[in-house]
Amino acid sequence: MKGKTIAVKAAALLLFALLLLPAGTAKTFAEGEAPEIGQVTADKVNMREKPNTDCEILAEVPGGTAVEVLGKDGSWYRVLYNSTVGYIRQDYLFVNSTGSRGAYVKTDGAALRGGPSADSYMIMQLSAGQGIKVKALVDGEWFFGSANDQTGYVHRSFLEITSSSTASIGMLKQGMEGDEVEKLQKALFDRGFLSKTNITGTFSSETRKAVSEFQKACGLSADGIAGAETLNSIYDSGNKIEKDNADFYKLKGSVVLLDWFKGGEDWLYKGAKFTVIDVRTGKSFRARRFGGWYHADVEPITSSDTAVMKSLEGFSWNRRPIWINFNGKTVAASMHTMPHMANPTQSNGFDGHFCIHLYNSLVHENSKECPRHQSCVNEAYKAGRG
């Protein structure tokens, strides 16, 4: 009698839920059809009042929880949870009856095991971004699926389920960690889309932005997710796509302060040819030191270098923060762009030379620091730390 009462109550509750379904495009179950059971695939999932992320959150549903699936509206499932009807995004709910689903490994070191238990033997170790074909969710905690022709179980905390029925060979996106993520970040750094400080092995928001910028540059869909096509393009040695002013982005995060009188003059020795990167624009040109003792007297090497330098703000005594990249080191510095006095090279289109100051450099005329130059040195250092 007790079992019958429970069954009646459950049927009444389901009938009430079905009556709440709106008319229109949403798919619902036919009369007499049993409701499907879906299981939450993330640690905490929001159940919302309507099928969009702008509406009210009705409940937070714990990972592994089973809910009744009442219907489907676009990329959202309409569900019944704790006597409340609401919507959960399709990629956060696994419904066994829908067949296989594509998934991606979130981090290196995840294990494909022989059974749904952490104590079960390991069939193979998985890497971040690896594609998995998931066929079932067992006990709300373990996905049963296949990878590289091997079949086994992976704990749900290591996988991200997609709305697709399959997963491509590789995909990296925000939140993933591991060697493959670091490899991607290094490739983005080499192309000038990511700074050195962001090579961490964790797919951060900065990495996502860099991927999106690369995708735009080569005409791909700019979603910030590195799928097979994006990865193939990034790793293609024949692909010469680099970010404008790539030197600026590649050197960011490696800039140091160097005292002119404590190693700076020896480092930037007379005759040294180096790259100057303008901090405010990211533009770069080549220059050569030919003299100076309290600071460096330098000149652009070619007329093309002079043209880049002049494009900053013409020929001006205004101080500008710069980075000097030379001999494996990037140093914060300051310069002006006004040609004056000695003119060692007649063919470079620069009628004279200009001055570069490092930390604690002095002015030749009065043997004192120039506050404006030192202010720009500090600006360059701050801009180059992160």
Side-chain angles (χ1 to χ4, degrees), residues 136-260:
L137 180 59
V138 180
D139 299 329
E141 292 293 320
W142 293 86
F143 283 112
F144 175 72
S146 58
N148 295 349
D149 298 324
Q150 298 287 329
T151 302
Y153 297 83
V154 183
H155 192 269
R156 64 178 179 81
S157 62
F158 291 112
L159 294 184
E160 180 166 333
I161 303 297
T162 73
S163 57
S164 171
S165 60
T166 59
S168 61
I169 295 174
M171 185 277 287
L172 300 172
K173 64 182 295 186
Q174 190 166 341
M176 291 183 175
E177 301 177 355
D179 293 340
E180 288 301 315
V181 174
E182 186 172 347
K183 177 184 175 183
L184 167 66
Q185 290 170 331
K186 287 178 178 176
L188 290 167
F189 166 77
D190 289 340
R191 294 178 180 274
F193 288 89
L194 195 67
S195 69
K196 185 174 289 186
T197 53
N198 286 310
I199 302 176
T200 61
T202 298
F203 201 120
S204 62
S205 58
E206 287 299 321
T207 304
R208 185 176 188 276
K209 180 181 176 183
V211 170
S212 178
E213 289 178 345
F214 174 82
Q215 289 169 326
K216 287 178 183 177
C218 57
L220 299 175
S221 176
D223 57 7
I225 298 172
E229 187 176 9
T230 297
L231 292 173
N232 288 338
S233 297
I234 289 175
Y235 298 143
D236 181 2
S237 59
N239 181 337
K240 302 303 181 184
I241 293 175
E242 286 193 348
K243 186 166 184 174
D244 291 341
N245 311 323
D247 283 340
F248 176 83
Y249 294 95
K250 289 169 70 173
L251 296 174
K252 192 174 177 67
S254 61
V255 179
V256 298
L257 274 180
L258 181 60
D259 192 300
W260 177 257

Side-chain angles (χ1 to χ4, degrees), residues 18-45:
L18 292 171
L19 289 173
L20 292 176
L21 292 174
T25 59
K27 174 187 175 183
T28 60
F29 294 112
E31 183 179 355
E33 185 179 354
E36 294 184 283
I37 299 299
Q39 290 177 294
V40 174
T41 60
D43 287 337
K44 246 181 210 178
V45 171

